[in-house]
Amino acid sequence: MYVHNLNCGWLQHDFVRNRFRLEDADDVRKVQALGVAEIYIDTERGLDPDALPAPAAAPKPLTEPLTKPRTKPRTKPLTEPLTEQPPAETLPARDAPAIHTHTKSASRLERARSLHREATQIVRGMLGDIRLGKQIEMEKVEPLVGRIVDSIFSDQDALLPLARLKQHDSYTFQHSVSVCALMTAFARTLEVPREKIREIAIGALLHDVGKARVPDEILNKPGKLTDAEFDRMKNHVVQSKIILMATPGISPIALDVAAQHHERFDGTGYPNKLAGDQISLYGRMGAIVDVYDAITSDRVYHKGKPPTEALRKLLEWSANHFEPRLVKAFIRSVGIYPTGALVRLESKRLAVVQAQHGDKPMQPKVKLIFHTAGHYLQPDDIDLRRSQDRIVGYEDFADWNIDPLRWLPQ
Ligand SMILES: [Fe+2]
């Protein structure tokens, strides 16, 4: 076949050109080792697998490409997955990357992605409305929060990893959605009744609405804030409370989350320097989640800390700022290596965390994808509780030029 587009950067492959003819099994093996999910072929310059008679034992062709073909009409997406039951002599299993077939499993991730996208847009619109002096529309907030809570309860490993991946330009909106998702998972771990969790989640989604009244220059200032600017920034909590108190249908629980998320257990927070039990459970939870999400996110002025480092910080700060019992429960809810994180194993292989075992936070289920020697592996799901291998550290996707979205739990 004639390859029209390998769907990966030229740095990732060692073919001389981006477009070339696949001459033999060695070439096929090289393409497989790239780990690309889909390639495009030019059927005018090479064979068309659709036009060939299928051999009796041929695998069922993949009928739906991963994405809509964007190439010229004379090219078409490869319709056969390279790795489905290949003849052993031509396509050895070892280096062959699996191609996601995106059937039932894709819809799980896709549903979570569209919910996340929609939630971010609703929050963006809401903050815009508040800037224009309009009220929060609870008829939009309530169904959205209902869907987020349902999503976390049915499958928290689908939504939480997305909440960790933020674009730089919409931090405030995405932070609100992340805090909402994380607070729901946290409250669930604490076995808070579901009706209350809904209120907690509403407060979490709206906790920073007061930022609509902070000028953008201060919100997005790359450098250190002056004292006056910092005061203005801190005032967002008071503004959140004012806005929410003017919102019909807001519960005291939601109000507590928003009004107390910057209070600290030792009384050093703001705006009211509340301490210990003066801060409601919901405010104490909100403080932990808000800090965790803020320090793990990339911002204009700093790169996000790895989750492991963030949890270490939270534990350290729980000596005074946070309630230690709650920090430990929060760690149980997100895991030490959160779902969606890239980890390095003792065997020098990289894996993406797929699911947590609440009682064994160091031994989640993972998908092996890459060898630190520099090549993709045949993806393989392993449960570290039942493996000799173990996690030795957290890795950054960007350092390995690996797309995190591709390896999220399907
Ligand atoms: Fe805040």
Side-chain angles (χ1 to χ4, degrees):
M1 288 180 291
Y2 190 89
V3 174
H4 176 78
N5 186 345
L6 273 175
N7 282 332
C8 70
W10 62 271
L11 274 175
Q12 275 174 266
H13 67 77
D14 57 6
F15 291 104
V16 181
R17 295 185 186 84
N18 270 319
R19 295 176 188 183
F20 55 91
R21 186 181 307 280
L22 285 173
E23 299 285 358
D24 51 30
D26 256 4
D27 283 351
V28 175
R29 267 192 285 274
K30 278 189 204 162
V31 170
Q32 289 178 324
L34 295 173
V36 294
E38 179 189 30
I39 63 173
Y40 294 100
I41 57 169
D42 184 340
T43 52
E44 283 181 7
R45 303 177 77 175
L47 292 176
D48 177 356
D50 278 356
L52 296 173
K60 193 171 177 291
L62 173 68
T63 47
E64 298 239 331
L66 280 178
T67 51
K68 294 243 179 326
R70 289 179 301 266
T71 48
K72 288 171 266 177
R74 66 192 176 84
T75 64
K76 58 196 278 183
L78 180 69
T79 51
E80 280 186 323
L82 290 172
T83 54
E84 270 190 290
Q85 304 163 22
E89 69 277 20
T90 52
L91 304 172
R94 178 69 188 163
D95 289 320
I99 291 180
H100 299 288
T101 47
H102 280 220
T103 50
K104 185 179 157 210
S105 57
S107 63
R108 171 190 175 203
L109 180 61
E110 207 34 66
R111 272 200 308 276
R113 284 181 82 164
S114 80
L115 173 57
H116 186 255
R117 214 170 16 240
E118 211 181 306
T120 308
Q121 276 162 6
I122 290 176
V123 175
R124 184 193 293 268
M126 192 168 63
L127 291 185
D129 283 352
I130 293 168
R131 285 207 164 158
L132 297 171
K134 294 187 193 164
Q135 267 197 336
I136 293 172
E137 296 175 280
M138 286 303 281
E139 54 277 25
K140 277 191 190 163
V141 170
E142 282 175 341
L144 172 67
V145 166
R147 286 169 61 201
I148 294 175
V149 172
D150 286 348
S151 162
I152 293 290
F153 266 78
S154 67
D155 188 5
Q156 78 172 47
D157 289 325
L159 189 59
L160 285 186
L162 294 173
R164 298 192 322 112
L165 302 168
K166 298 187 182 66
Q167 266 99 52
H168 292 270
D169 59 338
S170 51
Y171 171 76
T172 305
F173 322 124
Q174 296 186 50
H175 170 68
S176 302
V177 177
S178 298
V179 170
C180 180
L182 286 164
M183 277 289 266
T184 304
F186 187 11
R188 188 179 173 218
T189 302
L190 291 172
E191 297 180 357
V192 175
R194 187 134 172 190
E195 324 79 74
K196 285 191 179 172
I197 292 183
R198 215 171 138 271
E199 301 306 330
I200 292 173
I202 289 175
L205 189 77
L206 303 178
H207 77 285
D208 266 348
V209 287
K211 285 191 176 168
R213 296 189 176 160
V214 178
D216 271 340
E217 315 82 82
I218 297 178
L219 275 184
N220 300 321
K221 185 173 172 181
K224 199 172 182 305
L225 298 178
T226 64
D227 286 352
E229 287 168 339
F230 193 47
D231 283 345
R232 192 82 196 270
M233 180 66 123
K234 288 202 287 194
N235 187 252
H236 81 272
V237 187
V238 177
Q239 294 302 326
S240 287
K241 189 174 178 186
I242 293 171
I243 294 165
L244 293 187
M245 285 180 80
T247 305
I250 279 285
S251 69
I253 291 178
L255 206 54
D256 276 352
V257 174
Q260 299 178 348
H261 74 275
H262 283 287
E263 299 290 357
R264 293 294 177 257
F265 205 54
D266 60 356
T268 58
Y270 59 87
N272 293 319
K273 294 192 164 43
L274 301 178
D277 288 348
Q278 289 178 310
I279 313 168
S280 75
L281 169 67
Y282 317 113
R284 281 177 266 150
M285 290 167 65
I288 293 169
V289 174
D290 182 50
V291 166
Y292 174 79
D293 189 66
I295 64 180
T296 50
S297 303
D298 288 342
R299 302 295 303 277
V300 207
Y301 43 87
H302 71 73
K303 189 162 166 40
K305 285 187 199 306
T308 39
E309 172 70 14
L311 294 177
R312 192 161 40 236
K313 284 276 172 209
L314 284 180
L315 279 171
E316 191 184 312
W317 292 330
S318 72
N320 32 39
H321 290 340
F322 307 117
E323 187 177 354
R325 167 187 79 93
L326 288 181
V327 171
K328 286 182 190 135
F330 178 67
I331 294 173
R332 273 207 312 281
S333 89
V334 290
I336 290 172
Y337 296 102
T339 303
L342 183 67
V343 292
R344 177 195 289 257
L345 304 183
E346 198 168 44
S347 59
K348 296 192 166 62
R349 295 176 297 179
L350 302 185
V352 179
V353 178
Q354 303 291 304
Q356 302 291 323
H357 297 302
D359 54 333
K360 300 269 184 217
M362 302 294 282
Q363 296 167 314
K365 287 184 182 167
V366 301
K367 187 187 286 291
L368 299 172
I369 60 163
F370 200 81
H371 196 282
T372 53
H375 59 89
Y376 278 92
L377 302 168
Q378 167 78 35
D380 190 16
D381 288 300
I382 58 170
D383 187 339
L384 289 176
R385 278 187 314 187
R386 298 194 192 88
S387 167
Q388 297 295 323
D389 217 344
R390 64 183 192 97
I391 296 176
V392 291
Y394 174 85
E395 291 285 330
D396 193 334
F397 282 99
D399 291 346
W400 295 95
N401 205 14
I402 297 172
D403 175 9
L405 279 174
R406 184 175 164 205
W407 301 104
L408 287 182
Q410 295 290 319

